Amino acid sequence: MFRRYTFLAAAAAGGLFLWARRRAWTTRWLDLPPVRNRVRITRKIPIPMSDGVTLLADHYAPVGAGPHPTVLIRTPYGRGWEAFPGGLLMTFAASRFAERGYHVLVQGTRGQFDSGGQFVPFVHEKEDGLATLAWLRRQPWFSGQIGMWGNSYLGLVQWALAGEAGPELRALVPVTTSADLRALLFGEGAFGLELAVRWVLGVAGTGTGIVRKKASFWQQMKRLVQVDRLALAGFETVALTEADRAVLGEPASFFQLWLETDGDPEHPYWQASNFKAHLPRTEAAVHLVAGWYDIFLRDQLDDYQILRASGRQPFLTIGPWGHMDGEALRSPLREAIAWFDGHLRGESGRLRPRPVQYFLMGAEAWREADQFPPESVETALFLQPGNALAWEAPAAAEGASTFTFDPARPTPAVGGVRFSPQAGRTDNHPLETRDDVLVFTSEPLDGDLDVIGAVRARIYLETNRPSTDVYVRLNDVRPDGRSTNVCDGLTRVEPGAAGERLAGALEVAVDLWSTAYRFKKGHRLRVLIAGGAHPRWARNPGTGERRGAATRLVVQENTIVHRADCPSAVFLPVAR
């Protein structure tokens, strides 16, 4: 008994020591500047919206002489212990800002957890954000300077206010997000099934307006633990309109709305949630934080280019992470504190000298630049007979490779850009040995090759179905034979697809998104071609029916033509 009490006493003492040292540990782990203040937290502050709905917020106040700027975080994922892990992450992040001299307001978005109203994803964020800013202006502790921070949905709400909020909004840090989420679900013509199903599981039952009944905390925890198993039921449904029912037992309102709109950018729902028009009017200083394997990468780089074309000078950081990587929270938090210190406190020395910083994979090193992408020369790598790749166009009059895509046995997504912990670089052997995947490989490189920027493919296709998908992936093959994915993309060929035809083959353009990768001397480049990457994109049923309407699956016979008159190729931005 004495030993047991001694152990408990020692454990309690150790716990108290760690708790007392928590600020020092987190400062060291996150590589943050020193703590400036103690923090006082006020929970469940009611904030009225313009239509009378009340949203609740938590205020993290720095204790000590001010004035202190304000960081506003608006989230549908919970503010504290009522939500795991989203709420706890908000508590952690808000405390780190407040410890360094910032008032932090963490507000639950409409209809989520204990905030009032009905949750309709993306639609109310502009009006509710403006009402929140009006409330902030009336607070005695408000200094007149606001920054916003957050990833994913927490980044979209920043763009909802950008260009609309007035001069008080001075600094934004949108992390792994975009100003238009429609492209995330429908940008390739195929439906982003993995994102949709996993997000349904993440938010259903946490508020009002999605499903009929809120889930308890323990139900949310159970769903979180079982998310991978539950999601499989949605991925395996043939009729997409049944995927939400398969994972929840009932339809989710927004999921059904997404399929009903069929991704039409002119539909009122997508018009209300598209904030691209706000970008050119943005006066706040913007620091975009992206990831090479993040689901928002392509559209976030588009946001960056729009800002630059509008005369803005945004900062851009691109790391080697995916959407769910821990580093995708740690690095953006560190960058945000420096950004707010520079633009809300006037501490310009906290800002790095060059606006762009990106991780050069392969070299495994960070690089700095004045803009992205740096200067490059677009260089073609041509598909050849005999499953080869070469820098010269094929000379042969004959050359074609055929594969079968069976949607009942869809080609799986392996690593890469995914809304999943399985995103990122991985061994592609399980994919390359499948009989529904074509593999083309180059000779070993004579020297290092840096590919930095947007990668694209031009594929000449013959198919026996009115609709099929063309998926292309670029890999790095080491001398020991291990093949690792670099970047990839997919294009859905719709019935009656328009496009140039050469010798009867349809020219299909495939966007492989962007990368920064060093292919080292002695390595080889490899291109994979398949008919899908399920469930990242919903499988093509082959019937040509509208997305979500198909109830049967049809095998697709596809031929990739790579001869002198139809030179299929991948185009690489080779750095100068």
Side-chain angles (χ1 to χ4, degrees):
M1 183 67 71
F2 177 77
R3 290 182 178 178
R4 179 182 300 176
Y5 283 127
T6 301
F7 172 77
L8 291 175
L16 288 172
F17 173 78
L18 292 174
W19 175 256
R21 297 289 297 167
R22 67 191 186 281
R23 292 185 176 89
W25 289 116
T26 55
T27 296
R28 187 174 305 164
W29 174 59
L30 294 169
D31 191 23
L32 300 179
V35 171
R36 304 187 189 202
N37 306 87
R38 292 183 297 108
V39 179
R40 182 179 62 250
I41 306 174
T42 305
R43 304 283 187 187
K44 296 189 175 183
I45 301 171
I47 301 177
M49 299 296 101
S50 59
D51 61 355
V53 168
T54 297
L55 307 187
L56 298 186
D58 299 335
H59 178 205
Y60 295 71
V63 177
H68 301 292
T70 298
V71 174
L72 173 61
I73 303 172
R74 304 190 64 246
T75 174
Y77 303 126
R79 307 186 316 277
W81 287 97
E82 79 278 12
F84 181 86
L88 297 186
L89 288 175
M90 286 305 98
T91 297
F92 180 83
S95 298
R96 304 294 79 77
F97 287 123
E99 288 170 351
R100 286 152 185 84
Y102 293 94
H103 287 285
V104 184
L105 191 73
V106 181
Q107 181 188 60
T109 56
R110 177 179 295 246
Q112 283 298 89
F113 294 94
D114 49 5
S115 283
Q118 186 176 39
F119 181 51
V120 182
F122 325 135
V123 170
H124 298 287
E125 306 311 341
K126 175 183 172 182
E127 292 75 15
D128 289 353
L130 290 174
T132 303
L133 292 182
W135 179 87
L136 275 172
R137 294 186 187 104
R138 299 192 296 268
Q139 304 313 302
W141 44 264
F142 180 58
S143 70
Q145 299 182 89
I146 302 173
M148 294 186 72
W149 172 87
N151 69 317
S152 199
Y153 200 109
L154 286 68
L156 175 83
V157 300
Q158 298 178 54
W159 290 127
L161 291 180
E164 304 286 324
E168 295 101 335
L169 185 58
R170 299 191 181 184
L172 302 176
V173 185
V175 179
T176 57
T177 191
S178 172
D180 177 18
L181 299 193
R182 186 203 67 84
L184 189 65
L185 290 163
F186 296 97
E188 286 80 9
F191 183 58
L193 181 63
E194 182 172 56
L195 167 63
V197 167
R198 292 181 71 101
W199 205 66
V200 161
L201 282 166
V203 301
T206 61
T208 59
I210 301 173
V211 294
R212 289 173 294 179
K213 186 179 179 181
K214 280 191 177 183
S216 69
F217 175 81
W218 295 112
Q219 287 173 323
Q220 294 173 41
M221 288 292 294
K222 181 179 178 181
R223 190 176 290 164
L224 178 67
V225 171
Q226 298 180 344
V227 63
D228 290 328
R229 181 181 64 80
L230 294 172
L232 285 176
F235 300 156
E236 292 171 358
T237 56
V238 175
L240 295 181
T241 53
E242 297 296 322
D244 51 349
R245 293 178 177 87
V247 299
L248 298 176
E250 61 177 303
S253 55
F254 68 84
F255 185 89
Q256 294 295 317
L257 179 60
W258 289 348
L259 291 173
E260 179 185 325
T261 67
D262 199 30
D264 179 7
E266 301 303 318
H267 190 281
Y269 174 80
W270 295 113
Q271 287 286 305
S273 58
N274 182 353
F275 304 110
K276 288 284 189 183
H278 292 191
L279 293 170
R281 303 197 301 268
T282 300
E283 296 296 333
V286 178
H287 187 157
L288 301 162
V289 182
W292 289 127
Y293 296 101
D294 180 59
I295 56 176
F296 288 96
L297 174 66
R298 176 191 55 194
D299 302 306
Q300 193 163 21
L301 289 178
D302 183 56
D303 293 345
Y304 168 76
Q305 295 298 343
I306 292 173
L307 288 167
R308 283 186 53 84
S310 303
R312 314 301 175 198
Q313 296 296 325
F315 270 44
L316 174 66
T317 299
I318 316 175
W321 47 72
H323 200 73
M324 297 183 180
D325 288 354
E327 188 64 21
L329 173 67
R330 191 170 79 98
S331 292
L333 188 59
R334 182 174 62 245
E335 295 288 354
I337 291 173
W339 193 247
F340 294 149
D341 287 349
H343 292 282
L344 301 183
R345 293 184 179 280
E347 299 175 4
S348 58
R350 293 278 289 127
L351 303 175
R352 67 189 186 217
R354 304 184 77 180
V356 174
Q357 187 177 74
Y358 60 90
F359 191 80
L360 182 62
M361 297 179 291
E364 306 306 306
W366 287 93
R367 295 287 185 265
E368 292 190 347
D370 295 323
Q371 64 180 28
F372 188 86
E375 288 190 11
S376 62
V377 176
E378 188 174 69
T379 305
L381 188 59
F382 293 93
L383 277 60
Q384 305 282 346
N387 301 102
L389 288 174
W391 302 107
E392 301 83 21
E398 299 293 333
S401 301
T402 299
F403 68 94
T404 298
F405 177 74
D406 182 356
R409 179 181 164 265
T411 315
V414 176
V417 174
R418 298 184 63 185
F419 190 61
S420 165
Q422 298 172 355
R425 288 180 276 179
T426 191
D427 181 2
N428 275 227
H429 179 76
L431 189 61
E432 295 172 354
T433 54
R434 287 178 61 97
D435 59 8
D436 56 358
V437 177
L438 299 178
V439 178
F440 299 84
T441 308
S442 75
E443 293 296 319
L445 292 170
D446 294 331
D448 291 351
L449 180 75
D450 287 354
V451 174
I452 307 174
V455 180
R456 66 184 182 92
R458 180 190 64 209
I459 303 297
Y460 289 98
L461 172 73
E462 296 173 351
T463 181
N464 70 333
R465 300 304 308 169
S467 179
T468 196
D469 292 346
V470 178
Y471 170 78
V472 182
R473 166 170 278 187
L474 176 65
N475 281 7
D476 175 24
V477 184
R478 300 189 313 197
D480 64 5
R482 180 181 172 90
S483 180
T484 304
N485 50 292
V486 175
C487 59
D488 55 17
L490 176 143
T491 293
R492 174 151 295 189
V493 178
E494 302 285 8
E500 183 178 352
R501 289 184 179 271
L502 291 180
L506 175 68
E507 181 182 306
V508 179
V510 183
D511 178 5
L512 275 65
W513 294 30
S514 293
T515 192
Y517 199 95
R518 172 168 293 173
F519 294 88
K520 292 184 177 180
K521 179 181 178 180
H523 287 218
R524 294 175 291 162
L525 284 76
R526 178 168 289 168
V527 170
L528 313 184
I529 299 179
H534 186 79
R536 178 182 173 188
W537 292 287
R539 55 192 164 189
N540 193 321
T543 63
E545 297 170 88
R546 184 175 64 86
R547 280 177 293 254
T551 58
R552 61 191 181 94
L553 303 175
V554 180
V555 172
Q556 300 142 52
E557 300 289 346
N558 293 333
T559 298
I560 306 301
V561 182
H562 43 79
R563 57 182 186 245
D565 59 345
C566 296
S568 294
V570 173
F571 296 87
L572 309 176
V574 178
R576 292 181 181 274

